[in-house]
Amino acid sequence: MEYADLLIENHGKVAVIRLNRPKAMNALNDNMMNELGDALYKFDADPSVNVIVLTGSEKVFAAGADIAAMANYTYADTYPGNYIGRNWEHILNVRKPVIGVVAGYALGGGCELAMMCDFLIAADSAKFGQPEIKVGVTPGAGGTQRLPRTIGKAKAMDMLLTSRMIDAAEAERTGLVSRIFPADKLMEEALAVANTIAEMPVSVAMAIKDSVNRAFETTLTEGVRYERRFFHAAFGTPAQKEGMSAFLAKRKANFEGM
Ligand code: CAA
């Protein structure tokens, strides 16, 4: 897979997508978002891939939407043209786990794209922020919605209104990222986490992801009911038979193709 604004790496069952517009701090433009959608859908459909990692460079995950590209946009370009909606949210349709791996800046749309991943692993160099207010706009890819749900209203309002960046330690403390690693070990450690998941039954990983995401869209009772359907259905799958018989036989389960 060859792209102008992405680099692709294969690590066994883990596919790595790297945002790659180094001259523009990985600013997110139409081409990159179209390519990202294409790569995500291809890996989601590829039976040899169980987990997708989305990352940037050592310096920057992404510094936001491409300000040079959108500076002269008119209302016609944005609302009728469905700016953001037309190609930024493909990631939300991906059924396999997507881990966001962030070093350096994840700002504006970059922070919003990161928050669309299933969870985030950060380098100690990571910096997260929603500085849209400084360029005269609100966030447009979910920043005002996902940030308060993730780190709470007070921290979210502070970041969104002042444009203050938070560092990796604060991001971990507030629940925005799940783990922090030293920058020079980031990819090695993130791939180890991704490989742990890739060895699990992918069908169960997909069901867990689906159920967790449902928690943000429905009531507790309905969410638990949703989870229970997957739990009951699991008893009709090879993954449950293999997982439980391997446990009882005191051997490592082999979830290949499950
Ligand atoms: N769009 C377009 N180009 C960008 C960019 C962006 N979001 N961020 C950085 N660049 C470009 C710079 O213009 C510069 O280009 P030139 O070399 O051609 O001048 C290059 O990347 C390097 O950037 P800096 O010289 O600014 O690098 P720095 O190390 O001094 O600062 C930074 C890094 C703190 C990330 C700074 O570039 C910055 O603040 N970027 C903008 C962040 C921002 O405002 N993001 C929100 C955008 S709006 C948005 O995202 C809307 C939405 O919600 C969907």
Side-chain angles (χ1 to χ4, degrees), residues 78-156:
T78 55
Y79 182 62
N82 197 17
Y83 180 43
I84 305 295
R86 66 178 171 244
N87 54 10
W88 280 53
E89 291 170 328
H90 294 305
I91 190 167
L92 302 177
N93 299 324
V94 174
R95 298 167 77 222
K96 291 173 183 168
V98 181
I99 307 174
V101 177
V102 176
Y105 297 109
L107 301 180
C111 187
E112 293 171 298
L113 181 65
M115 287 191 287
M116 291 185 215
C117 297
D118 296 317
F119 67 98
L120 295 179
I121 293 175
D124 48 14
S125 64
K127 286 194 180 352
F128 297 86
Q130 297 285 167
E132 286 91 339
I133 193 166
K134 285 211 296 195
V135 290
V137 292
T138 65
T144 64
Q145 304 304 302
R146 291 195 180 87
L147 200 57
R149 279 170 169 80
T150 309
I151 69 173
K153 179 179 168 184
K155 288 272 184 192

Side-chain angles (χ1 to χ4, degrees), residues 33-226:
M33 299 320 270
N34 288 335
E35 290 185 350
L36 179 59
D38 185 78
L40 287 166
Y41 287 134
K42 281 186 176 144
F43 287 133
D44 207 29
D46 182 342
S48 71
V49 170
N50 282 5
V51 176
I52 300 166
V53 165
L54 177 62
T55 192
S57 67
E58 285 172 15
K59 194 173 169 192
V60 62
F61 178 79
D66 188 332
I67 298 170
M70 69 182 157
N72 293 322
Y73 274 4
T74 62
Y75 182 73
D77 294 316
T78 55
Y79 182 62
N82 197 17
Y83 180 43
I84 305 295
R86 66 178 171 244
N87 54 10
W88 280 53
E89 291 170 328
H90 294 305
I91 190 167
L92 302 177
N93 299 324
V94 174
R95 298 167 77 222
K96 291 173 183 168
V98 181
I99 307 174
V101 177
V102 176
Y105 297 109
L107 301 180
C111 187
E112 293 171 298
L113 181 65
M115 287 191 287
M116 291 185 215
C117 297
D118 296 317
F119 67 98
L120 295 179
I121 293 175
D124 48 14
S125 64
K127 286 194 180 352
F128 297 86
Q130 297 285 167
E132 286 91 339
I133 193 166
K134 285 211 296 195
V135 290
V137 292
T138 65
T144 64
Q145 304 304 302
R146 291 195 180 87
L147 200 57
R149 279 170 169 80
T150 309
I151 69 173
K153 179 179 168 184
K155 288 272 184 192
M157 282 285 195
D158 178 357
M159 287 176 67
L160 289 157
L161 294 174
T162 67
S163 84
R164 175 173 83 88
M165 289 186 216
I166 61 171
D167 63 14
E170 189 170 0
E172 202 256 342
R173 203 162 61 238
T174 53
L176 183 57
V177 310
S178 70
R179 310 193 202 188
I180 306 172
F181 295 109
D184 61 346
K185 293 265 183 287
L186 178 68
M187 274 319 281
E188 182 188 329
E189 298 287 357
L191 283 173
V193 175
N195 273 313
T196 300
I197 300 170
E199 292 305 314
M200 307 292 180
V202 66
S203 60
V204 183
M206 289 160 94
I208 289 172
K209 167 171 174 163
D210 193 351
S211 296
V212 172
N213 284 332
R214 183 55 54 141
F216 295 93
E217 306 287 350
T218 191
T219 63
L220 179 59
T221 305
E222 283 308 312
V224 172
R225 190 193 299 269
Y226 195 78

Side-chain angles (χ1 to χ4, degrees), residues 199 242-243 246-247 251-255:
E199 292 305 314
E242 169 62 10
F247 176 83
R251 65 173 171 82
K252 188 175 184 296
N254 177 1
F255 293 119

